[in-house]
Amino acid sequence: MIILDNMYKRNLFVFMLFFVFIQLTAQQKLSPKATVSVITCGPGSELYTAFGHSAFRVYDPVLGIDKAYNYGTFNFNAPNFYLNFAKGKLIYQLSVTNFNRFLRIYQYENRWVKTQELAINTSEVQAIFNFLENNAKPQNKYYQYDFFYNNCSTKIEEIVKIILKEKVSFSNSHLTSNKTHRDLIADYTKNFKWSKFGIDLALGSVIDKKATKDEYKFLPDYIFKAFENATITSVNGKKQPLVKKTRLILSEKKIKAPYNLFSPFNTILLISLLILFISYRNYTHNTRTKFIDFILYFVTGIIGVVVLLLWFATSHTATYKNLNFLWAFAPNLIVAFILLKNRVPKWIIIYNKILLLLIASTLIIWILKIQVFNIAIIPFLVALIIRYSYLIKFRNRLSSSKK
């Protein structure tokens, strides 16, 4: 009984020590030398790193704290990850790691890293630290990600505004361009031509509106510039720069991007020339190459179905009103199998005339910049126009020969 009583007391003591430790950790008081910095990381060689990255750094040399708070992490092993990704229900999380460990990743990836130490007082440093520590708890760390409106970069300004309130001012007066979201994406995907082609197919006309100055800040570079030009009101009421000190922590080694002969434009141009050649041969011999018609209608139909699913069946904010469905007409998926038959149905004449009108609408929409399409589809649209026109003529010949 005495032994049990002693074990109980010892276990209770250990539990109390653990509880006190947790409480002290949760309410850890930083020293007056502690600082908060915004971390900006340069683009990498993979598409998911092409836009750069943003994070927070809390550094306290007295307490030996040097943490990076990263809102740009996600878990591949989360339940239904890929399904949620496709549906636009991306769940990201705030992760915390040692700053040197954070740097090693970017050093390995050959990406530059800069920090901007904020000109804030001890209580404000403590407030941001407390906010981040609380936000990093398991019950708080997850958030609904949105590429344009709620990502690792937008979180930076959002949190600073929450803590500093009206003391901080982001004027955005340094921005002089009037770019759309698609323009901004294009600036960072110059070396990812196939990825840019896919982006232009998947994202709708909603990203062709002029971005507001605040909407530029989904990109880390623009968050960096926003902080460089932001101000904070001091105790005496005077405005001063929000950034106290900017440091280049890591430099990148310049590597020339290799030329890709099989770019989307070159590849699609070759395919289009082949379609035109076959169409010319068919015209001169009054024949029809069925497999070409099947492939053309099947591919455009599949693209059309995917475009419509991204528009209507997901929560992605950037895939709405995607007018690629005009030239990539979803019903083509069914018509493709009908065109495998030797005999072309008579209604294909009216159907193809509708397809030609839809392509004409696509070009008008492009000229008016209601939606900007990828330049690589130009030769393909020409090939579609020629092929659709030939099928109309071919079916008319069949009708005439019967008479």
Side-chain angles (χ1 to χ4, degrees):
M1 213 42 202
I2 295 173
I3 294 173
L4 288 173
D5 188 50
N6 288 336
M7 287 179 64
Y8 173 79
K9 289 180 179 178
R10 186 165 61 250
N11 289 339
L12 181 61
F13 178 73
V14 170
F15 175 78
M16 289 178 67
L17 279 178
F18 178 75
F19 180 79
V20 170
F21 173 78
I22 293 296
Q23 293 299 309
L24 287 173
T25 303
Q27 300 173 1
Q28 190 167 21
K29 186 172 176 59
L30 299 176
S31 77
K33 292 187 177 294
T35 59
V36 170
S37 301
V38 173
I39 307 169
T40 305
C41 309
S45 58
E46 301 293 336
L47 178 63
Y48 69 92
T49 64
F51 302 97
H53 188 52
S54 299
F56 278 111
R57 179 190 186 185
V58 176
Y59 176 58
D60 190 334
V62 176
L63 297 181
I65 294 172
D66 197 0
K67 294 181 178 182
Y69 295 84
N70 180 5
Y71 279 93
T73 54
F74 53 88
N75 182 9
F76 277 115
N77 299 317
N80 302 315
F81 174 81
Y82 293 102
L83 178 62
N84 288 332
F85 176 83
K87 291 165 64 178
K89 298 184 183 297
L90 293 174
I91 302 299
Y92 272 54
Q93 66 186 59
L94 169 61
S95 63
V96 186
T97 188
N98 178 272
F99 181 64
N100 286 330
R101 186 180 299 172
F102 177 89
L103 279 182
R104 280 198 291 270
I105 296 170
Y106 292 90
Q107 188 171 28
Y108 175 78
E109 294 178 351
N110 187 33
R111 299 166 64 183
W112 58 259
V113 176
K114 296 177 182 177
T115 60
Q116 295 165 295
E117 184 184 325
L118 303 185
I120 55 180
N121 60 41
T122 302
S123 64
E124 290 162 346
V125 169
Q126 185 70 52
I128 292 177
F129 174 69
N130 290 347
F131 182 95
L132 293 171
E133 285 289 298
N134 181 63
N135 217 193
K137 290 177 180 178
Q139 67 270 28
N140 300 330
K141 66 180 180 179
Y142 299 101
Y143 73 98
Q144 183 79 45
Y145 175 87
D146 185 288
F147 180 69
F148 290 113
Y149 303 108
N150 199 24
N151 68 8
C152 66
S153 294
T154 62
K155 285 286 185 186
I156 303 299
E157 183 178 322
E158 176 189 324
I159 290 167
V160 168
K161 283 181 174 179
I162 288 171
I163 302 302
L164 300 181
K165 298 183 173 60
E166 66 278 357
K167 285 186 66 176
V168 67
S169 174
F170 292 90
S171 68
N172 300 326
S173 58
H174 58 285
L175 293 174
T176 56
S177 64
N178 290 293
K179 296 186 177 184
T180 65
H181 284 101
R182 199 182 299 275
D183 294 332
L184 292 167
I185 290 173
D187 290 341
Y188 290 83
T189 53
K190 293 173 182 175
N191 296 328
F192 303 90
K193 295 188 183 299
W194 278 107
S195 298
K196 177 61 168 61
F197 179 72
I199 288 168
D200 285 335
L201 280 183
L203 304 190
S205 59
V206 291
I207 72 164
D208 287 294
K209 294 177 182 177
K210 297 295 182 185
T212 67
K213 303 308 180 187
D214 278 331
E215 287 174 344
Y216 277 58
K217 296 173 189 173
F218 76 95
L219 293 165
D221 279 343
Y222 287 98
I223 275 290
F224 179 88
K225 292 172 185 175
F227 273 79
E228 284 289 288
N229 291 278
T231 58
I232 185 171
T233 305
S234 62
V235 179
N236 57 15
K238 291 184 179 180
K239 287 190 174 183
Q240 62 183 50
L242 177 59
V243 173
K244 181 180 180 181
K245 186 190 301 180
T246 300
R247 292 179 58 202
L248 177 63
I249 306 294
L250 281 179
S251 299
E252 64 173 333
K253 296 176 183 176
K254 294 293 182 183
I255 299 173
K256 189 176 180 180
Y259 176 74
N260 183 8
L261 179 63
F262 296 101
S263 66
F265 186 87
N266 292 344
T267 303
I268 293 173
L269 176 62
L270 288 173
I271 293 170
S272 301
L273 289 173
L274 176 62
I275 294 166
L276 292 174
F277 174 74
I278 292 172
S279 297
Y280 174 74
R281 294 275 296 177
N282 286 168
Y283 176 77
T284 56
H285 293 84
N286 195 27
T287 57
R288 184 174 71 88
T289 306
K290 291 185 291 184
F291 84 89
I292 281 293
D293 292 331
F294 174 78
I295 291 172
L296 273 182
Y297 281 73
F298 185 81
V299 169
T300 53
I302 282 287
I303 294 172
V305 168
V306 172
V307 164
L308 292 176
L309 284 174
L310 286 171
W311 182 347
F312 293 104
T314 74
S315 300
H316 292 289
T317 58
T319 55
Y320 296 157
K321 300 180 182 178
N322 188 346
L323 303 180
N324 276 295
F325 84 91
L326 292 172
W327 67 267
F329 199 49
N332 280 3
L333 187 59
I334 298 170
V335 176
F337 292 93
I338 295 171
L339 290 178
L340 282 174
K341 298 177 181 179
N342 289 325
R343 185 177 178 82
V344 180
K346 191 172 183 179
W347 54 260
I348 206 72
I349 295 173
I350 297 173
Y351 184 80
N352 278 9
K353 285 180 179 179
I354 292 170
L355 293 180
L356 289 172
L357 283 173
L358 291 174
I359 291 176
S361 301
T362 302
L363 296 173
I364 292 168
I365 286 166
W366 197 343
I367 291 167
L368 296 176
K369 293 189 176 181
I370 296 170
Q371 179 167 336
V372 176
F373 303 95
N374 195 285
I375 195 171
I377 71 167
I378 290 177
F380 191 63
L381 292 182
V382 172
L384 288 178
I385 291 169
I386 298 298
R387 192 65 192 176
Y388 292 157
S389 300
Y390 175 70
L391 285 177
I392 294 170
K393 192 172 186 66
F394 180 78
R395 188 60 185 82
N396 279 330
R397 279 182 182 178
L398 284 179
S399 298
S400 298
S401 63
K402 287 181 181 180
K403 295 176 183 178

